[in-house]
Amino acid sequence: MTHILIIEDDLLVALDVEGCLEEMGAVSTALASSEDRAVKMALERRPDLMTSDVRLAQGHGPEAVRRIVEHYGPIPTLYITGNPEAVKKDHPDAQILVKPYRWADLGDAAKALGLAGSAA
C-alpha cells in the first residue's frame, strides 16, 4: 500500500500533485498546508512517500520532513519547489522537482522514489 503525504500550501498545486500520484497508483494521500499539520498527519499515519514544498504559509517543508524522518527514519521525499537552492544547501542529494513542473516529470521523479505506475 502506498500512502503519500503532500506538504504544500497552494491548494491547486497540492491537488494537481495528488491527482498525478493517484493516477500512478497511490492508494491514499494526505494534504498538509503547514509544517505542524504535516507532522501531525505523518504521526497519525506513516507516509510511504512524501512530497514537500519549501516555503509554506506557516513553517517550512524541509523542517517538517526533518521532524517526520526524526520520528520514523528515512522516508523517500520529493521536494517540489520554485526554490531548489533552499533544499540543496542542506540536502545536496535530495530529489527536487522545480516548479512549474510537468506531470511526466513528476511521474518520473515519483517512480525513481519507488511509486509504481505511469502518469498520463
Side-chain angles (χ1 to χ4, degrees):
M1 173 167 33
T2 302
H3 177 64
I4 300 176
L5 176 60
I6 300 167
I7 306 168
E8 171 62 63
D9 63 348
D10 182 322
L11 182 58
L12 292 178
V13 173
L15 292 173
D16 188 63
V17 170
E18 180 182 50
C20 179
L21 298 178
E22 285 178 344
E23 193 165 307
M24 289 188 62
V27 174
S28 64
T29 57
L31 306 179
S33 61
S34 72
E35 178 182 327
D36 288 342
R37 181 82 175 135
V39 173
K40 182 180 185 299
M41 294 179 90
L43 295 180
E44 289 172 0
R45 182 170 181 191
R46 184 190 188 282
D48 300 304
L49 180 114
M50 295 185 285
T51 69
S52 179
D53 194 358
V54 172
R55 293 183 185 132
L56 304 172
Q58 295 178 359
H60 294 89
E63 182 61 16
V65 170
R66 184 198 64 75
R67 291 168 60 192
I68 294 164
V69 167
E70 188 175 82
H71 181 79
Y72 286 118
I75 296 173
T77 302
L78 172 63
Y79 290 93
I80 304 173
T81 181
N83 189 17
E85 297 78 24
V87 177
K88 289 179 185 176
K89 88 176 168 176
D90 293 326
H91 309 282
D93 296 330
Q95 293 282 348
I96 302 170
L97 184 61
V98 179
K99 291 177 182 175
Y101 61 88
R102 297 177 312 134
W103 266 33
D105 296 331
L106 175 55
D108 289 345
K111 278 189 232 175
L113 291 172
L115 183 61
S118 61

